[in-house]
Amino acid sequence: MPVIHLRTDQPFSLDLTLNCGQVFRWDRNPDGWWYGVVGNHVIKIRQDESTLRFEGVPEHFIEHYFSLETDLNSITQSFDCDPHIHAAITQCHGLRLIRQPAWECLVSYICATNSNIPMIRRRIANIAQRFGHVLDFESRQFFSFPDPSSLANTCSESLTECKLGYRTPYVLETACEISDEKQWQKYINSLPYEKARHELMKLQGVGPKAADCILLFAFQKYESFPVDVWIRRIINEHYIQNQSPNSMLTGWEYDMIRRFARQHFGQYCGYAQEYLYAARQK
DNA sequence: ATCCAGGAAAACG
DNA sequence: CGTTTTCATGGA
C-alpha cells in the first residue's frame, strides 16, 4: 500500500481536515480508515502520526487534494495576530483547506442554505446515488457526483426525491446554466476574487455566503471569508461588539465582517475563518 | 411544540 | 431602495 511520510515541518491532521465542515463526502470508519469519493475515484486513507496510508489514487493526487505541498506554518503564522485566533490555531494544528472539485462544491453550498451539516451530507449523497454512476470498491458501492448535464436533463420530480426542499429549482437551473463544467471552472479560476464572487452570485441559489465558501474550498481564493451564524457569533463575541447578535444578518453586516476580517487577518483570512469555525465546538 | 441549521429569493413598504 | 417573510427538511 502506498505511503506518504509527512515531514516535521509539514503539519497535517486528516481528522481535522475532513471533519471541519468544508467537505461532505467523507466517512470515517471506527477503525480509523476514511472513505471518500473525489471525482471518479474512491479513496481510502488513514493517518498514524506522520504516516499516511492510502489507496485509490496516486500519491501526487493525495498531495494536491489535501494541499500537502502548501507551507501551512507560514500561512498560520501570517494571521496569528490575537489571543483568540492563536488559541484556534493551537487547537486545530494541522487543519488544511483542501481542493474540492468545483461543480460538486457549488451544488453542495446551494444545498447548504439554512441547513446543518448532516443534512447537507445526506442531500449530496442522495444526488450522487440517484444520478451518479457506480464505483465499486472493496465490494461496496460508492457513487460519483453527476455532471451538470446529467442533472439538467432530468425533471424536477426526480430531483425532489433527493430531499433538497426549496433548493431543487436552484440546483436544476444552475445545472442548466453550466453546460461545460471544465470550461466554467477555468473561467472562474481566471478571475480575481471580487469578480469571481460577483460571477458566482449570478447563479440561482448562490448568495454571498455560498459564493465565499465555493471560492475558498474549490478555487483557493484565500482572501474569501464566509460569514455564517457561527462565524458571526464568534466575531461579535471576540472582535466587534456593536451588533445585536439576534437580528438577521444583513448584507451590510456581512460586508462589514468580511472586510474587517480581510484587514485584521490579512490575505489568508479564509484560512483563519476555517480555524475559527473548526475550533468553535471546543 | 418550538427552535435552529455553513441563507437566499421573493414580497413588502 | 433597504427590510421582512417565506421557503423544505429533519434533528434537538
Side-chain angles (χ1 to χ4, degrees):
Chain A
M1 173 173 302
V3 167
I4 293 176
H5 294 288
L6 298 164
R7 302 184 309 270
T8 50
D9 65 342
Q10 196 178 20
F12 177 61
S13 165
L14 185 65
D15 285 347
L16 281 171
T17 298
L18 293 179
N19 253 335
C20 70
Q22 62 178 321
V23 69
F24 306 103
R25 291 259 273 162
W26 286 89
D27 282 295
R28 188 185 189 276
N29 267 20
D31 63 10
W33 284 101
W34 283 91
Y35 290 82
V37 178
V38 181
N40 290 317
H41 307 288
V42 180
I43 302 177
K44 174 185 180 183
I45 186 169
R46 68 174 293 142
Q47 177 174 23
D48 299 285
E49 280 92 42
S50 65
T51 302
L52 290 176
R53 301 175 205 282
F54 60 94
E55 264 180 58
V57 288
E59 178 174 334
H60 64 83
F61 191 103
I62 297 290
E63 288 176 341
H64 183 261
Y65 181 74
F66 290 106
S67 289
L68 295 181
E69 78 285 2
T70 300
D71 185 356
L72 184 60
N73 282 331
S74 63
I75 289 181
T76 54
Q77 195 174 4
S78 76
F79 57 78
D80 192 355
C81 58
D82 68 70
H84 190 253
I85 191 67
H86 181 78
I89 291 170
T90 305
Q91 283 172 26
C92 301
H93 185 69
L95 170 62
R96 285 174 186 264
L97 296 182
I98 63 178
R99 301 178 202 267
Q100 297 187 35
W103 158 247
E104 178 179 329
C105 185
L106 168 61
V107 176
S108 298
Y109 283 94
I110 290 176
C111 291
T113 66
N114 214 18
S115 307
N116 50 31
I117 290 174
M119 198 136 333
I120 304 164
R121 295 171 58 86
R122 185 170 313 125
R123 289 182 186 134
I124 297 305
N126 288 345
I127 293 173
Q129 181 161 8
R130 176 72 178 74
F131 298 100
H133 56 262
V134 178
L135 304 170
D136 286 305
F137 190 85
E138 293 184 347
S139 68
R140 282 171 58 194
Q141 288 198 332
F142 296 82
F143 298 90
S144 67
F145 195 79
D147 302 322
S149 58
S150 307
L151 294 183
N153 293 330
T154 190
C155 60
S156 174
E157 283 73 28
S158 54
L159 245 194
T160 303
E161 299 169 17
C162 298
K163 303 291 183 184
L164 310 187
Y166 62 88
R167 306 155 193 88
T168 299
Y170 300 161
V171 171
L172 207 49
E173 199 163 320
T174 296
C176 293
E177 194 70 28
I178 295 170
S179 48
D180 188 334
E181 180 183 347
K182 290 298 166 198
Q183 197 176 329
W184 169 77
Q185 184 169 347
K186 203 170 169 182
Y187 171 59
I188 298 296
N189 203 38
S190 72
L191 302 174
Y193 165 63
E194 290 289 351
K195 172 68 175 161
R197 187 176 193 261
H198 186 73
E199 209 53 33
L200 284 181
M201 285 172 61
K202 290 179 181 171
L203 297 168
Q204 278 290 316
V206 180
K209 166 61 171 52
D212 281 332
C213 284
I214 295 159
L215 290 172
L216 187 57
F217 302 139
F219 291 98
Q220 292 73 53
K221 307 286 190 190
Y222 295 131
E223 69 267 49
S224 168
F225 192 87
V227 182
D228 61 22
V229 293
W230 296 102
I231 290 298
R232 184 205 193 188
R233 256 170 232 160
I234 292 164
I235 294 293
N236 275 332
E237 187 172 346
H238 296 278
Y239 297 95
I240 310 173
Q241 273 86 18
N242 60 348
Q243 279 85 35
S244 61
N246 293 328
S247 63
M248 235 183 50
L249 179 61
T250 64
W252 183 88
E253 190 188 349
Y254 189 106
D255 275 348
M256 150 82 162
I257 290 176
R258 78 181 172 106
R259 289 185 200 291
F260 162 79
R262 176 67 180 81
Q263 200 267 338
H264 181 74
F265 295 118
Q267 62 174 324
Y268 294 106
C269 60
Y271 242 102
Q273 190 269 12
E274 208 52 23
Y275 275 81
L276 292 175
Y277 187 81
R280 122 201 86 112
Q281 55 260 48
K282 303 176 185 174

